[in-house]
Amino acid sequence: MKHQPSDEAAVRQALDVARAISTGPDVPIGALVLDSSGTVVGVGANTREIDADPTGHAEILALRAAGAEVGGWRLTGCTLVVTLEPCAMCAGAAVLARVDRIVFGAWDPKAGAAGSLWDLPRDPRLNHRPEVIGGVLADECGALLRDWFAQHRSTE
């Protein structure tokens, strides 16, 4: 699927969220949930280290915030935007939240579950299958992660 021009703008917003935590202990991944009009209804950044929470992924936090904002768990008509391809937990959460679209930046060949290692959102056995658009601003998203890991590996 081809991405829309608005997808690039949304990934840039998610990159801003990721950059805001890039000096901390958590891997800099940012996520947004947009409603059908393109309004941000949820924002999340990784907090696994800082909160000692294994579910503290950017996508999970953005989906939780969006559910609270819209007043329900069904996020029909919404788009999940994230700087890195969602893992199995996050891709599954997006499916269960009934988002219409998942848009992400960098591919994750080691743990990606939206087309790389697995493809949960498009599994025909599931009751909901969001559209998936991957690789939007992939170089920019990947560079942020590579830089962060290079810095953190050299200081350990």
Side-chain angles (χ1 to χ4, degrees):
M1 299 276 171
K2 187 163 170 49
H3 70 273
Q4 303 167 5
S6 60
D7 293 338
E8 283 191 20
V11 171
R12 286 193 196 289
Q13 283 184 271
L15 269 166
D16 289 342
V17 172
R19 285 186 186 110
I21 66 158
S22 65
T23 59
D26 281 290
V27 177
I29 298 170
L32 310 169
V33 176
L34 308 173
D35 68 12
S36 59
S37 70
T39 300
V40 175
V41 293
V43 178
N46 274 0
T47 62
R48 290 190 324 167
E49 296 295 334
I50 203 160
D51 289 343
D53 179 0
T55 67
H57 289 211
E59 300 96 321
I60 298 297
L61 299 173
L63 290 166
R64 284 180 187 158
E69 177 67 21
V70 303
W73 64 268
R74 286 182 188 86
L75 300 177
T76 306
C78 291
T79 298
L80 172 64
V81 179
V82 63
T83 55
L84 181 66
E85 179 182 1
C87 69
M89 175 179 68
C90 296
V95 169
L96 293 173
R98 310 291 196 271
V99 299
D100 283 6
R101 301 174 73 232
I102 299 170
V103 175
F104 66 87
W107 293 90
D108 185 355
K110 292 182 180 179
S116 288
L117 190 56
W118 297 288
D119 198 352
L120 288 175
R122 292 179 277 223
D123 188 320
R125 296 169 293 183
L126 297 176
N127 64 340
H128 179 72
R129 286 179 290 287
E131 177 184 16
V132 176
I133 308 293
V136 179
L137 302 177
D139 292 341
E140 219 174 310
C141 293
L144 176 64
L145 292 166
R146 282 189 300 279
D147 292 348
W148 187 87
F149 279 108
Q151 181 182 16
H152 283 74
R153 286 184 181 135
S154 67
T155 61
E156 290 178 353

